[in-house]
Amino acid sequence: DAKTTQPNSMESNEEEPVHLPCNHSTISGTDYIHWYRQLPSQGPEYVIHGLTSNVNNRMASLAIAEDRKSSTLILHRATLRDAAVYYCIPSGWNQGGKLIFGQGTELSVKP
Amino acid sequence: SQTIHQWPATLVQPVGSPLSLECTVEGTSNPNLYWYRQAAGRGLQLLFYSVGIGQISSEVPQNLSASRPQDRQFILSSKKLLLSDSGFYLCAWSEGGAQYGYTFGSGTRLTVV
C-alpha cells in the first residue's frame, strides 16, 4: 500500500485559503488520490479525487505534483464548518479499490 | 439519487450480548459495501468489504462477522460482544474501483458496558 505523510494538525483563519499537503512517494502509477474529511461525530465525507491532472469541484481543488509523489488539497476560503480531519488516501488496484485511512490532518479554523 | 441508511445511531450493549447492525443502500445496484470501525480518538479501520451477495472479505481478525443477504443490504454481527468492540461503526458504499468515491452512512456509536 502507498504510504502517506500528512501534518498532524494545521490552523487557518476564516475566509483565508488553506493548503493541506500530502506526501505519497510510493504511490503506484494507477492509484487515484482521494481526499475525505470527517467532521466531529460524523462519518467521512468525500471531498475530491484525481489521477494525474488537477481537479476542481464546488468544495475544493486538488493539485497533484507532476511526479505524483505529493498532492495538495486547496480550500479556497475556509469557513468554520471546514474544521475537520482531512484524509489523503491513494487507492488503486493494489488495494483492490479499497480506502485505507491514515491519521489525517486535523484542521482548525479560527474566526 | 443514491442514499445510504445505517441504524441504530447509538447503542449500549452489555458484554457478552449479541450485536446486529444494518446498512442499506438505495438508488444503485451491485454496490461495493464496506464496514469500518473507529475507536475513540483513533483512525478508521476497514473491517469487511463485499463486492456482491454472499461475498465477504475480512480485513482484520476479530470478534465480528458480516453478511450480505441482499444486493443492497450489509449486516455486521457479533455473537458475544467484548468491551473492545466499543466504537463508531460506519458503513459505506461505492461503485467499485479506485476511480469512484465512497459514500458513508451516519454511523452507529456502540458502547459495550
Side-chain angles (χ1 to χ4, degrees):
Chain A
D1 293 352
K3 304 298 182 189
T4 59
T5 303
Q6 296 181 257
N8 288 332
S9 61
M10 290 183 64
E11 276 190 354
S12 172
N13 294 317
E14 195 175 13
E15 298 192 4
E16 289 186 357
V18 181
H19 290 232
L20 296 162
C22 180
N23 287 321
H24 31 75
S25 59
T26 60
I27 193 170
S28 165
T30 56
D31 285 355
Y32 283 78
I33 301 158
H34 291 251
W35 282 82
Y36 286 76
R37 71 180 186 181
Q38 187 176 20
L39 279 66
S41 300
Q42 295 187 27
E45 175 187 30
Y46 168 83
V47 178
I48 201 167
H49 76 291
L51 185 61
T52 55
S53 304
N54 294 345
V55 185
N56 300 294
N57 65 21
R58 64 174 179 81
M59 289 181 69
S61 295
L62 176 60
I64 301 173
E66 193 169 340
D67 63 6
R68 297 196 351 110
K69 293 184 177 182
S70 65
S71 61
T72 302
L73 180 71
I74 303 165
L75 307 179
H76 295 287
R77 289 181 69 223
T79 70
L80 296 178
R81 289 178 296 178
D82 290 324
V85 178
Y86 286 79
Y87 297 96
C88 161
I89 310 171
S91 180
W93 290 112
N94 287 340
Q95 299 84 20
K98 295 174 286 184
L99 293 182
I100 307 300
F101 285 76
Q103 293 305 306
T105 296
E106 183 170 9
L107 174 68
S108 58
V109 181
K110 296 184 290 184
Chain B
S1 64
Q2 302 91 357
T3 56
I4 181 168
H5 302 279
Q6 199 180 334
W7 66 92
T10 60
L11 192 59
V12 179
Q13 293 283 99
V15 169
S17 64
L19 173 73
S20 181
L21 302 180
E22 188 164 343
C23 172
T24 59
V25 181
E26 295 178 358
T28 187
S29 59
N30 197 31
N32 280 13
L33 297 171
Y34 309 87
W35 279 112
Y36 284 83
R37 176 173 62 197
Q38 187 170 37
R42 297 193 173 187
L44 287 93
Q45 182 183 39
L46 179 61
L47 301 177
F48 300 95
Y49 71 95
S50 172
V51 299
I53 296 174
Q55 300 179 61
I56 308 294
S57 295
S58 173
E59 288 293 295
V60 292
Q62 60 206 303
N63 184 41
L64 302 166
S65 62
S67 62
R68 185 171 177 172
Q70 300 180 41
D71 182 43
R72 290 167 290 177
Q73 183 185 30
F74 205 23
I75 297 172
L76 184 69
S77 304
S78 173
K79 293 182 180 177
K80 288 186 177 182
L81 284 169
L82 306 172
L83 287 174
S84 57
D85 292 323
S86 295
F88 190 37
Y89 287 83
L90 291 150
C91 180
W93 78 273
S94 77
E95 293 190 37
Q99 68 269 39
Y100 300 105
Y102 282 28
T103 300
F104 284 81
S106 53
T108 295
R109 193 163 300 280
L110 171 66
T111 304
V112 182
V113 296

